[in-house]
Amino acid sequence: MFKKIFALTSVLFITACQENPASMSFIKPDNLPDKYLQIIQTAESKATPAARQILVIGREMSASKSDILRGSCWDYANSVYNRAGYTLAKRDTILQGRKGSTSLPDTKMVQPGDFLSYLNHSYHNSEHSAIFIDWIDEPHKNALMLSYPGEGRAEPARYRAYDLSDVYTIVRPHNNN
């Protein structure tokens, strides 16, 4: 009897440990405005499995005060991808341009979970990198992004709306992992 209970408990434990993070309970970041909650949940549900992994890891990192990474916005987005298992060798570059030389030709090029570099029109037209969640107003290229403030601040990433009219790099995970 003990062996049967042990075997059943072991199977349940192993299954629980292998659970896909996207299917785990939704952890709402403290700094998440309620108006963005539905957008995030919809983006996670429609994302590819690889992109969903990135979105969930990013959300969990932004929900935890212990996951503050001092560094740049690019460092943060890169860390989310790495933690999700998508190191540089496991990424595809969809669009590669230079700052100020590329505008987003087609909003359909961008998908939830993409790692974007773009001009941040709300902050001195500076270069910025963040993870695309979904469109808030697609015709006007206004999107919800998971964004780290950068400049070495000791703050968690946050969800913010950005103008994506000047995207110059789009990177996404390989979907065949």
Side-chain angles (χ1 to χ4, degrees):
M1 179 70 165
F2 177 74
K3 287 182 180 179
K4 287 182 182 179
I5 292 172
F6 179 76
L8 179 59
T9 304
S10 297
V11 169
L12 292 174
F13 179 74
I14 291 168
T15 303
C17 290
Q18 293 176 344
E19 186 175 1
N20 181 342
S23 67
M24 292 181 187
S25 63
F26 189 89
I27 300 170
K28 182 181 181 269
D30 293 337
N31 61 3
L32 176 64
D34 288 337
K35 65 183 178 179
Y36 296 145
L37 188 59
Q38 185 61 48
I39 295 170
I40 294 166
Q41 289 174 325
T42 300
E44 288 181 13
S45 70
K46 74 179 184 180
T48 65
R52 184 176 308 114
Q53 178 79 0
I54 287 162
L55 294 173
V56 169
I57 295 290
R59 177 173 43 78
E60 290 173 351
M61 286 173 65
S62 72
S64 171
K65 300 286 188 237
S66 63
D67 279 342
I68 293 172
L69 303 172
R70 289 188 181 258
S72 70
C73 53
W74 188 94
D75 293 328
Y76 182 85
N78 185 57
S79 180
V80 171
Y81 263 62
N82 286 340
R83 287 185 188 191
Y86 294 95
T87 56
L88 292 173
K90 296 179 180 179
R91 302 176 192 177
D92 294 321
T93 300
I94 308 305
L95 174 69
Q96 181 64 59
R98 289 186 331 271
K99 174 185 170 183
S101 67
T102 307
S103 63
L104 186 62
D106 183 4
T107 57
K108 302 295 182 216
M109 292 178 70
V110 185
Q111 298 176 6
D114 283 355
F115 183 157
L116 305 182
S117 294
Y118 53 96
L119 291 183
N120 183 355
H121 297 296
S122 63
Y123 192 71
H124 313 294
N125 289 329
S126 60
E127 296 177 47
H128 193 55
S129 296
I131 296 175
F132 178 80
I133 305 303
D134 211 345
W135 294 108
I136 295 171
D137 180 356
E138 191 172 354
H140 292 102
K141 297 181 181 175
N142 189 312
L144 182 62
M145 304 293 290
L146 178 58
S147 170
Y148 178 70
E151 298 178 345
R153 293 184 220 166
E155 300 174 20
R158 71 272 175 131
Y159 291 89
R160 291 239 170 119
Y162 285 90
D163 170 1
L164 294 184
S165 58
D166 289 306
V167 172
Y168 54 91
T169 305
I170 302 173
V171 173
R172 81 177 44 118
H174 290 312
N175 281 317
N176 57 353
N177 282 2

